[in-house]
Amino acid sequence: IYERFLQNRNREGFQQVRVISRDPGGSEQTTRFTTSLQDFRDEKDEATNGILAKMLVQVSHPFDMRHTAYLMIAKDPGPDDEFVYQPSQRLVRRVDLRNMSLLGTDYTFNDIAFKDIEDASYFRFPDEVLDDTPVYVVEANVNETIDIQYHRTRMYMEKEHYIPLRVRYWDDF
């Protein structure tokens, strides 16, 4: 199932993301943003003009961060280009987003950045129904030598197009 997902990688994608963070006391903070992805790899899975992909992240909540935007350009060979637009300053700045927290949450830009995660072991769980849609449930345990914060993800992929409808992240290392 996961191989099919990787083979069918969308060349374009759009996601509405909600991150719910809880502190030890149980208080919740909700962060909402959208991601738009454009994959520029050719038929041979190689970078086009040195660019692998571009991702734009636009924040809608919390209200005081609304309209903040981040642009990540994955390049081969690297290094990647990363920019932030902050409406309060009305300017675009080049930044280093690696391991940077997303709006005060434990979620980082590494978690949403374009990356190949083929170096993992995969486990299939029983199929479920998510919002009236039948889904495959597959967990990926990424090799601990890969530089990402969450090494374990569980994806709920709709069965027809292998599109993830929900992804849960955590790390046991």
Side-chain angles (χ1 to χ4, degrees):
I1 293 169
Y2 213 83
E3 270 183 38
R4 178 77 185 267
F5 163 71
L6 293 173
Q7 289 170 355
N8 288 345
R9 260 185 227 149
N10 297 327
R11 296 298 178 190
E12 296 180 1
F14 177 82
Q15 291 181 321
Q16 293 179 325
V17 180
R18 178 181 63 172
V19 177
I20 300 171
S21 299
R22 292 183 183 93
D23 66 19
S27 298
E28 286 187 357
Q29 173 186 328
T30 300
T31 304
R32 294 178 192 270
F33 57 91
T34 60
T35 64
S36 302
L37 173 72
Q38 176 75 46
D39 189 332
F40 290 94
R41 291 176 296 174
D42 62 18
E43 309 81 40
K44 297 177 184 175
D45 221 23
E46 295 176 2
T48 302
N49 296 326
I51 297 177
L52 292 168
K54 293 181 183 181
M55 178 180 282
L56 178 65
V57 176
Q58 295 175 297
V59 178
S60 60
H61 188 79
F63 185 81
D64 60 333
M65 296 299 293
R66 194 172 70 161
H67 303 300
T68 299
Y70 301 90
L71 174 64
M72 294 169 271
I73 303 171
K75 296 166 55 177
D76 186 28
D80 297 343
D81 289 329
E82 300 165 332
F83 304 91
V84 62
Y85 170 74
Q86 294 175 307
S88 61
Q89 298 175 353
R90 291 193 170 107
L91 63 99
V92 175
R93 291 182 299 126
R94 182 181 293 272
V95 292
D96 181 3
L97 297 174
R98 280 188 318 257
N99 299 317
M100 185 175 158
S101 169
L102 181 65
L103 305 173
T105 69
D106 288 338
Y107 205 63
T108 69
F109 284 94
N110 280 354
D111 300 321
I112 59 174
F114 177 87
K115 58 187 164 284
D116 289 322
I117 56 169
E118 284 87 353
D119 193 8
S121 55
Y122 304 95
F123 302 95
R124 181 169 179 194
F125 287 83
D127 297 351
E128 294 185 21
V129 175
L130 185 64
D131 296 330
D132 298 325
T133 304
V135 295
Y136 295 116
V137 181
V138 179
E139 187 170 289
N141 291 299
V142 179
N143 183 325
E144 61 188 53
T145 62
I146 304 296
D147 184 26
I148 59 175
Q149 182 172 350
Y150 298 107
H151 286 84
R152 187 161 60 136
T153 61
R154 188 170 295 172
M155 277 193 181
Y156 299 76
M157 288 184 274
E158 64 89 23
K159 292 182 174 186
E160 185 178 351
H161 302 101
Y162 295 82
I163 303 292
L165 299 180
R166 176 183 290 163
V167 182
R168 295 184 181 236
Y169 299 86
W170 64 95
D171 197 353
D172 295 330
F173 295 105

